[in-house]
Amino acid sequence: MKNEKIAVFATLGKPFSFYMIKNMLDCDIQIDCIILDGKRCTEKDLSIWNDRTKGKFPLSDFSIFENYNIPTFFFKNHCSASTESFLKNRDISLIINAGTPRILKNNILSIPTRGVLNVHPGILPKYRGCTVVEWSIYNDDKVGATAHFMTEGIDEGPIILTEEYSFLKGDSYSGVRIKVYENSFSLMSKAIKHVITNDCTSNTMKNQGEGSYFKVMKDDLLLQVKKKLELGMYKYQE
């Protein structure tokens, strides 16, 4: 992977970004640079994160990545013309979405020679959109994660790898969510190695077929999901 130049899109103050990058480094993924967006993680985002993870993944200092000699760059917007110019000049071959706050458009998606890689916490194409872990449990479907190339269609790009997960009767809502996050971090590293080893690009692979989009689950249904897990009534709690 020495000839690959991998850039990571991340958000300062977003634990998801930090732990995704950390797993990549633990798996010996060589990162050319980290690109931070000027939009910070909100209090609401952190509240949702804390409800899901119960302190398992605390907010950590991005400065530790300096120990790996990875340059970090700040841009006002991941989709800006200045970001676009920077990526072209740096000759990036693969961008990793480790938590951009933006909806990426073709001016960015088309720059890296391989594409932009994302891990979605749901099984695509059946579960696109928001809170699909919760919707999967509500519908008694498998919970999983999908590594895919990004396109302008949300959660619609070519699929690289898919994983399905099972849980124990005693697993709480946060336990389920923590397992999905942990596996999503490792799935990204697996997907990066798969893409490079098999010479995959977003332009040579087919997009997904028809699927369904889900909106953010409302609080009353989320409470039902939590109760379902608490009682061990989810179909895939073994």
Side-chain angles (χ1 to χ4, degrees), residues 35-90:
I35 303 175
L36 296 173
D37 189 280
K39 185 176 181 181
R40 293 181 65 94
C41 193
T42 67
E43 289 298 322
K44 181 179 179 181
D45 292 334
L46 289 174
S47 176
I48 293 171
W49 176 263
N50 290 331
D51 178 57
R52 291 175 176 176
T53 63
K54 301 301 182 187
K56 173 69 174 180
F57 304 109
L59 184 61
S60 297
D61 190 349
F62 273 67
S63 66
I64 74 164
F65 298 133
E66 293 176 3
N67 297 329
Y68 294 86
N69 296 316
I70 303 171
T72 299
F73 301 91
F74 293 81
F75 288 89
K76 185 176 181 180
N77 190 317
H78 280 151
C79 295
S80 68
S82 55
T83 306
E84 181 180 345
S85 177
F86 172 84
L87 292 168
K88 288 177 178 177
N89 290 335
R90 206 164 179 91

Side-chain angles (χ1 to χ4, degrees), residues 99-170:
T100 180
R102 312 294 179 178
I103 296 176
L104 302 181
K105 299 298 183 182
N106 200 51
N107 68 310
I108 299 297
L109 296 171
S110 63
I111 293 173
T113 52
R114 292 198 182 279
V116 181
L117 196 55
N118 179 64
V119 169
H120 173 71
I123 298 174
L124 296 176
K126 186 174 183 179
Y127 279 94
R128 294 172 177 155
C130 303
T131 52
V132 292
V133 171
E134 292 78 2
W135 283 116
S136 298
I137 295 168
Y138 183 82
N139 294 329
D140 256 343
D141 284 334
K142 275 275 191 181
V143 169
T146 307
H148 67 102
F149 282 118
M150 297 180 73
T151 63
E152 287 191 306
I154 296 175
D155 300 329
E156 293 184 6
I159 291 173
I160 306 300
L161 298 171
T162 300
E163 294 182 340
E164 296 180 344
Y165 311 127
S166 295
F167 306 94
L168 301 176
K169 289 287 186 183

Side-chain angles (χ1 to χ4, degrees), residues 140-208:
D140 256 343
D141 284 334
K142 275 275 191 181
V143 169
T146 307
H148 67 102
F149 282 118
M150 297 180 73
T151 63
E152 287 191 306
I154 296 175
D155 300 329
E156 293 184 6
I159 291 173
I160 306 300
L161 298 171
T162 300
E163 294 182 340
E164 296 180 344
Y165 311 127
S166 295
F167 306 94
L168 301 176
K169 289 287 186 183
D171 284 342
S172 63
Y173 171 65
S174 60
V176 169
R177 264 298 188 170
I178 287 168
K179 184 171 184 178
V180 173
Y181 282 127
E182 288 177 331
N183 282 281
S184 293
F185 301 147
S186 62
L187 179 59
M188 177 63 86
S189 295
K190 293 175 190 175
I192 293 169
K193 292 179 179 180
H194 179 92
V195 162
I196 294 171
T197 300
N198 294 280
D199 198 25
C200 302
T201 73
S202 58
N203 294 324
T204 59
M205 300 178 67
K206 292 183 179 180
N207 286 344
Q208 304 163 34

